[in-house]
Amino acid sequence: MSSSTPNPDGLHPIVELNFKGVFLRNPFSYNHGINFTFNDHNFSGMTYGECITFLERFMQESIKKLYYCELGKPLISGIIAIANDEDYGGFIFHAYRTDGKICMYVDHDGQGIEDWFGSEIEEEDGDDSCIDGGENEDEIDNLTDVDVDFNEDIVTMNRTKGDEFLNRLCREEEEGNDNNINDHDGHEEDANVTQQHSIFNELVPWKKQIPILGMRFKDPSQLKLMLCNYAVANGYQLCFEKNDRKRLLVKCCKGECSFSDEASFQIKSLKPVHKCARNYKLGSMVTYAWIGSHYTREFLLRQKMSVRKLRTTVSQNFGTHVSVGQCRRAKKYALQLIDGTLVEHYAKLWSYAEEIRRSNPGSTMKLDVNHMPDGKNYFGKFYVCFDALKKGWKEGCMKIIGLDGCFLKGICKGELLCVAGRDANNGIYPIAWAVVCVENKENWRWFLDLLIDDLGLNSGYGYSVISDQHKGLIEAVKELLPYVEHRQCGKHISQNLRKRYRGAQYESIFWKACKATTKVDFKVSMKELEMLDPSAHQYLMDKDPKTWSMAYFQPGRCCDVVENGMSESFNVVIVDARKKPIITMLLELRMYMMERVFKKKCKSLGWSNQIFPTIREIVNDIKKGLRHY
């Protein structure tokens, strides 16, 4: 049990919640779980039912049984079940009686550990359990009378387990059916006792997955995956076979594991004897499907990983030799898994949008689909604008927004359209973003139409828009915002000028004209360019100086930016998120904005002057130059 920590305010108890783990009998402990500490939550204001509902929402898992441990006692003697309001009252009494930390434990599978307390806890009979070697990896797939679809070449696993941003699938509960089983010494013992052992937890790291007496599995694919991980981690060459009693045996050297009949998938006997040397060529145990399952996330982030690079990585990470052919098939298999994951992501967009609307009232989530003649719906566009962001822009930002688009870098290609503004400290303020299939006038018009409603731009009078002259954007802005001041990004004009006219003097004169604050200064700079090259002068004049020179900007915008750096900077920050599946990407964008707004708010609380630091530096620089006027 972890040591106690003092309660800083004393108003609420410190409660450590342990969940997504399992109780083990020998020795009695709670293994492979996640813990989270509450120190600002009023548990005394809840009933037992309200507490269960709160915890289930927090964990996104169901609770079969709930326990807590009295402070200062070991887990085996201090654990107490919480089954009703009276038990919950006892928990509240112990929680507020001490200044330390009280621990809660969640049983997601209803193992019924109360039966263990009156019985003597046996000591474990060995160190690491192991299983034996052979060559036919497909014997396990020939189990009879099993109502499970299982492909002998594919190891099905939950692909979302390894990514903290993806949805976790619920774990099914399986019950064993055998009445009698064998212990380590070959004696029979009651099945009801052994069934109290752990259910296999897929969240356990692959190197720590070992067979345990009484461990249960929900299907043969899960069993096979655990055995493959165990064999690779220890260098064991395993084989699968049936004995006369039609029970599955896994052998290696003189050790063996036997499993019950096909309906339960529970380890019934275990002889952890192993004397062979480590094997680096595991043959049929390491299949291309096993490799692909372990490297799905890597291929999701780096689709161009070479087969030979994968072979070297497998050898380094797993300590086993594989062929180039295995790696080639593993890559193909991993990409197939990714395609299935992407389909699941796009299918959950409706649920994601509805959850955001529920948890963030006032936020705008729009999903547009394309209806096909065959009756199927395909993803079209997805728009996101959180209520807090649009309120913050209306109340404290300059009347200018930057529009930009960037490519998605994952397997599913597309564009991410984003809009960013300038806050009162002249910093970047992202406002909204949208995922579209392609950048064109129709998609820009759809994006701007929603943005106008969220920000209240109306016809654009009194506002400015700066963009990089994207395809269809200019026409869409003219139609929807006829009175807006539309600026062009000076950086992109400069890059195009550099392609046409070689020489640093062209770029120098352009920036002098771009940042000229009076029409006289602008004309002097353009006259200089005309004397240098009349065609370059004509090229810039055709770009309409009212859209890129400060001398012609309309007053009242409180912003003199001549380049769309605010949108470009936002695109650079989210470059890693753009490589991931759509829901993961949207979650990362949301979390990034939450952290950014919170950090900016905390930083601004320390500002005592009404003029913000960046603006004050600009004013001080201007003051230094006043002596020249």
Side-chain angles (χ1 to χ4, degrees):
M1 187 172 177
S2 59
S3 59
S4 302
T5 57
N7 193 338
D9 51 17
L11 297 178
H12 305 295
I14 300 178
V15 178
E16 181 185 274
L17 179 66
N18 297 269
F19 59 101
K20 292 190 178 180
V22 291
F23 284 102
L24 295 182
R25 184 183 178 192
N26 297 325
F28 183 71
S29 60
Y30 191 81
N31 282 14
H32 308 311
I34 303 173
N35 60 72
F36 183 87
T37 302
F38 297 94
N39 57 9
D40 58 353
H41 199 79
N42 185 16
F43 284 90
S44 63
M46 297 181 177
T47 63
Y48 168 71
E50 291 173 345
C51 179
I52 293 295
T53 303
F54 166 73
L55 295 178
E56 287 181 340
R57 287 184 178 179
F58 172 78
M59 300 180 298
Q60 297 183 353
E61 294 277 353
S62 62
I63 297 177
K64 292 296 181 64
K65 294 187 178 181
L66 184 64
Y67 304 89
Y68 73 94
C69 184
E70 292 187 49
L71 191 68
K73 291 186 178 181
L75 185 62
I76 190 170
S77 60
I79 192 166
I80 300 175
I82 306 177
N84 48 46
D85 287 327
E86 183 178 354
D87 296 337
Y88 186 71
F91 161 72
I92 296 298
F93 173 77
H94 285 95
Y96 280 89
R97 189 180 64 175
T98 176
D99 293 333
K101 176 171 60 178
I102 189 167
C103 297
M104 297 180 73
Y105 299 90
V106 177
D107 184 358
H108 300 282
D109 306 299
Q111 292 176 267
I113 62 173
E114 291 85 355
D115 298 337
W116 300 357
F117 300 154
S119 61
E120 183 180 355
I121 304 297
E122 298 177 355
E123 302 226 347
E124 287 189 349
D125 201 14
D127 296 327
D128 293 328
S129 56
C130 71
I131 25 188
D132 266 62
E135 305 194 353
N136 190 0
E137 66 164 348
D138 297 324
E139 283 294 328
I140 189 173
D141 306 321
N142 297 325
L143 299 176
T144 59
D145 301 328
V146 182
D147 189 16
V148 178
D149 294 331
F150 183 67
N151 188 334
E152 64 181 10
D153 294 327
I154 298 177
V155 179
T156 305
M157 62 182 297
N158 184 0
R159 299 181 298 278
T160 64
K161 288 287 186 181
D163 194 329
E164 61 271 28
F165 298 108
L166 306 184
N167 293 325
R168 298 170 182 262
L169 302 180
C170 296
R171 180 175 56 199
E172 297 181 2
E173 181 181 2
E174 296 290 341
E175 298 291 342
N177 298 326
D178 284 351
N179 294 325
N180 294 316
I181 54 177
N182 294 328
D183 61 7
H184 286 218
D185 299 324
H187 301 292
E188 292 185 350
E189 58 186 30
D190 186 35
N192 294 328
V193 177
T194 307
Q195 285 179 358
Q196 307 302 332
H197 282 279
S198 64
I199 296 176
F200 175 67
N201 188 354
E202 293 181 346
L203 298 178
V204 178
W206 71 274
K207 286 186 176 181
K208 297 182 180 180
Q209 294 179 7
I210 59 174
I212 300 175
L213 184 64
M215 180 178 285
R216 291 178 290 169
F217 304 85
K218 63 181 180 182
D219 52 40
S221 63
Q222 190 182 62
L223 169 62
K224 183 177 180 180
L225 177 63
M226 187 277 292
L227 294 175
C228 291
N229 290 337
Y230 177 68
V232 173
N234 297 276
Y236 301 157
Q237 179 63 271
L238 309 182
C239 71
F240 306 104
E241 62 182 37
K242 292 278 192 72
N243 63 2
D244 295 336
R245 300 174 62 187
K246 295 184 178 180
R247 288 189 174 185
L248 177 67
L249 291 177
V250 183
K251 292 187 174 181
C252 174
C253 297
K254 296 182 180 179
E256 68 178 24
C257 285
S258 69
F259 298 85
S260 65
D261 59 12
E262 294 82 348
S264 63
F265 297 103
Q266 182 179 17
I267 300 179
K268 292 297 185 179
S269 66
L270 179 65
K271 296 181 180 179
V273 180
H274 180 78
K275 297 182 179 180
C276 65
R278 180 179 179 88
N279 198 324
Y280 293 93
K281 294 182 179 180
L282 300 181
S284 59
M285 288 302 300
V286 178
T287 64
Y288 70 87
W290 183 86
I291 300 173
S293 300
H294 278 275
Y295 282 89
T296 303
R297 181 173 174 80
E298 282 72 10
F299 281 113
L300 180 63
L301 301 178
R302 294 186 297 166
Q303 296 85 26
K304 296 183 179 180
M305 179 190 293
S306 66
V307 173
R308 298 189 180 278
K309 175 67 174 177
L310 175 62
R311 184 186 183 189
T312 304
T313 305
V314 171
S315 178
Q316 293 174 349
N317 294 344
F318 296 100
T320 183
H321 301 316
V322 294
S323 66
V324 175
Q326 281 180 299
C327 294
R328 185 179 294 109
R329 292 190 294 273
K331 181 176 181 180
K332 182 178 179 181
Y333 175 74
L335 294 178
Q336 291 176 351
L337 294 181
I338 292 172
D339 289 339
T341 303
L342 295 178
V343 171
E344 294 172 4
H345 269 256
Y346 282 94
K348 292 177 181 178
L349 278 176
W350 293 105
S351 301
Y352 173 79
E354 189 60 31
E355 178 62 21
I356 294 297
R357 294 192 195 100
R358 184 198 64 81
S359 58
N360 292 270
S363 300
T364 305
M365 300 284 149
K366 295 290 184 180
L367 175 60
D368 183 75
V369 297
N370 299 323
H371 302 282
M372 296 293 109
D374 57 359
K376 294 183 179 181
N377 296 328
Y378 290 90
F379 173 81
K381 302 177 279 287
F382 191 82
Y383 173 85
V384 179
C385 184
F386 290 99
D387 182 63
L389 296 181
K390 53 186 175 184
K391 284 183 178 178
W393 185 84
K394 292 177 182 178
E395 297 176 3
C397 292
M398 305 175 186
K399 295 182 178 181
I400 184 172
I401 56 175
L403 299 172
D404 194 18
C406 54
F407 291 101
L408 301 182
K409 299 182 177 294
I411 293 180
C412 291
K413 304 302 180 182
E415 294 266 351
L416 181 68
L417 310 181
C418 63
V419 55
R422 290 269 182 170
D423 59 25
N425 194 40
N426 207 33
I428 301 170
Y429 189 88
I431 305 170
W433 48 87
V435 180
V436 298
C437 296
V438 66
E439 184 181 355
N440 54 26
K441 179 182 176 181
E442 179 185 356
N443 288 335
W444 273 116
R445 182 183 176 89
W446 177 82
F447 180 65
L448 289 173
D449 196 18
L450 295 171
L451 186 66
I452 291 170
D453 292 338
D454 285 333
L455 301 185
L457 300 180
N458 299 321
S459 298
Y461 183 78
Y463 296 94
S464 296
V465 171
I466 183 169
S467 67
D468 305 337
Q469 306 302 293
H470 288 282
K471 301 174 183 177
L473 176 57
I474 299 177
E475 293 79 5
V477 171
K478 288 180 179 179
E479 293 179 8
L480 299 177
L481 298 169
Y483 300 109
V484 77
E485 179 193 33
H486 195 170
R487 303 180 186 178
Q488 297 187 62
C489 178
K491 181 179 179 180
H492 285 74
I493 297 177
S494 174
Q495 290 176 347
N496 294 332
L497 180 67
R498 190 188 309 164
K499 294 177 182 178
R500 290 173 175 264
Y501 306 96
R502 302 287 182 179
Q505 63 273 25
Y506 292 98
E507 191 172 357
S508 175
I509 296 174
F510 164 75
W511 283 112
K512 189 185 300 183
C514 185
K515 296 185 178 181
T517 55
T518 63
K519 295 181 181 179
V520 174
D521 293 339
F522 172 79
K523 291 179 180 180
V524 170
S525 300
M526 294 304 294
K527 187 67 175 178
E528 182 182 353
L529 181 62
E530 184 179 14
M531 294 177 61
L532 178 65
D533 192 332
S535 61
H537 173 269
Q538 187 61 37
Y539 173 78
L540 291 180
M541 294 302 293
D542 291 340
K543 293 290 184 181
D544 189 3
K546 293 182 181 179
T547 64
W548 54 268
S549 177
M550 290 174 57
Y552 295 94
F553 287 171
Q554 298 177 10
R557 306 311 190 267
C558 301
C559 187
D560 57 357
V561 295
V562 295
E563 55 183 347
N564 193 17
M566 43 192 171
S567 298
E568 296 285 352
S569 299
F570 180 66
N571 291 340
V572 173
V573 170
I574 63 174
V575 65
D576 290 333
R578 284 153 48 195
K579 301 176 182 178
K580 300 180 179 180
I582 185 167
I583 289 185
T584 304
M585 178 186 69
L586 295 174
L587 287 173
E588 288 203 1
L589 292 178
R590 178 179 64 85
M591 295 176 65
Y592 166 73
M593 287 308 306
M594 288 173 59
E595 294 177 358
R596 178 181 174 84
V597 171
F598 177 74
K599 291 178 181 179
K600 292 290 184 182
K601 180 180 178 180
C602 294
K603 186 177 181 181
S604 64
L605 293 177
W607 297 343
S608 57
N609 199 315
Q610 292 183 349
I611 302 178
F612 296 147
T614 303
I615 305 300
R616 189 157 61 249
E617 292 178 3
I618 296 175
V619 173
N620 290 335
D621 291 339
I622 295 175
K623 286 168 59 178
K624 293 179 182 178
L626 290 178
R627 63 188 183 89
H628 299 295
Y629 294 140

